[in-house]
Amino acid sequence: MAGKKILMICGDYCEDYETMVPFQALLAVGHTVHAVCPDKKAGDQIKTAIHDFEGAQTYSEKPGHNFTLNATFADVKPEQYDALVIPGGRGPEYLRGYESVRAAVRHFFDTNKPVAAVCHGAQLLAGAGVLKGRTCSAYPACRAEVELAGGSYADIPVDQAHTEGNLVSAPAWPAHPAWIAQFLALLGTKISH
């Protein structure tokens, strides 16, 4: 299997696990991952946030690690990538305000390339206008964004993922094993023991 070239669009206060874990896991199995953020360049950092489920009506938020970007958003040409990863957290909320980010996201749907979105990543998908007629999982509070964007919300357990066509989505980081496994299947990644 040849490694794929994957774009990961992230931003300040993306969820710590949802940024670090897919980035490291995809590298570990031989893919190239370029982590970018608009208005930042390779070597710059984004702040992340740790979202946890501690019995409140919503997640709690704590400071996470700083995550170093390894590519420059301004240099990105989406057509040079095989797939896209969108972490959750608060990053997607503001990233959807950049037309260049929305255009990059649309490229992956227009060309039917694999896309993995988790948690609040659905906010960016909704903002890019790519959910009409699609089923997408997300953090339950983002159900409104999915449905208002013309999509169907996949109401699945927090540790599960949903694949429809080129999109694999999940509610939150407890779904990493299922989400990453389903994304690897879309990529054609074969792992043997």
Side-chain angles (χ1 to χ4, degrees):
M1 174 205 87
K4 303 289 185 181
K5 188 174 177 183
I6 301 168
L7 181 64
M8 185 167 83
I9 301 176
C10 47
D12 284 315
Y13 299 104
C14 272
E15 207 285 327
D16 188 280
Y17 287 170
E18 294 169 2
T19 304
M20 304 275 189
V21 172
F23 180 80
Q24 293 173 337
L26 291 165
L27 290 175
V29 298
H31 296 300
T32 298
V33 183
H34 287 169
V36 298
C37 177
D39 300 329
K40 295 193 181 208
K41 60 186 183 308
D44 288 348
Q45 293 184 329
I46 59 167
K47 296 181 181 303
T48 69
I50 295 170
H51 290 170
D52 211 347
F53 308 100
E54 301 174 306
Q57 290 181 323
T58 189
Y59 55 85
S60 63
E61 184 172 85
K62 300 169 188 70
H65 298 89
N66 288 336
F67 177 76
T68 303
L69 303 167
N70 65 352
T72 301
F73 182 81
D75 297 338
V76 164
K77 293 177 176 43
E79 62 275 7
Q80 296 177 347
Y81 291 88
D82 300 306
L84 173 66
V85 174
I86 302 173
R90 287 193 287 128
E93 177 184 68
Y94 83 90
L95 291 172
R96 63 186 169 176
Y98 287 84
E99 173 51 31
S100 54
V101 172
R102 295 190 310 268
V105 171
R106 285 192 296 269
H107 165 80
F108 289 90
F109 284 87
D110 291 345
T111 56
N112 203 37
K113 294 178 183 177
V115 175
V118 64
C119 201
H120 287 73
Q123 291 180 318
L124 181 48
L125 298 179
V130 297
L131 290 178
K132 188 173 177 107
R134 301 193 69 120
T135 301
C136 178
S137 180
Y139 188 69
C142 295
R143 180 180 194 139
E145 277 100 335
V146 171
E147 292 175 345
L148 288 168
S152 296
Y153 177 72
D155 191 2
I156 58 177
V158 72
D159 63 350
Q160 296 300 305
H162 175 80
T163 298
E164 180 187 81
N166 69 318
L167 174 63
V168 58
S169 56
W173 59 259
H176 276 158
W179 182 62
I180 293 170
Q182 289 179 37
F183 186 53
L184 291 174
L186 282 180
L187 294 172
T189 306
K190 306 283 188 229
I191 298 173
S192 60
H193 300 280

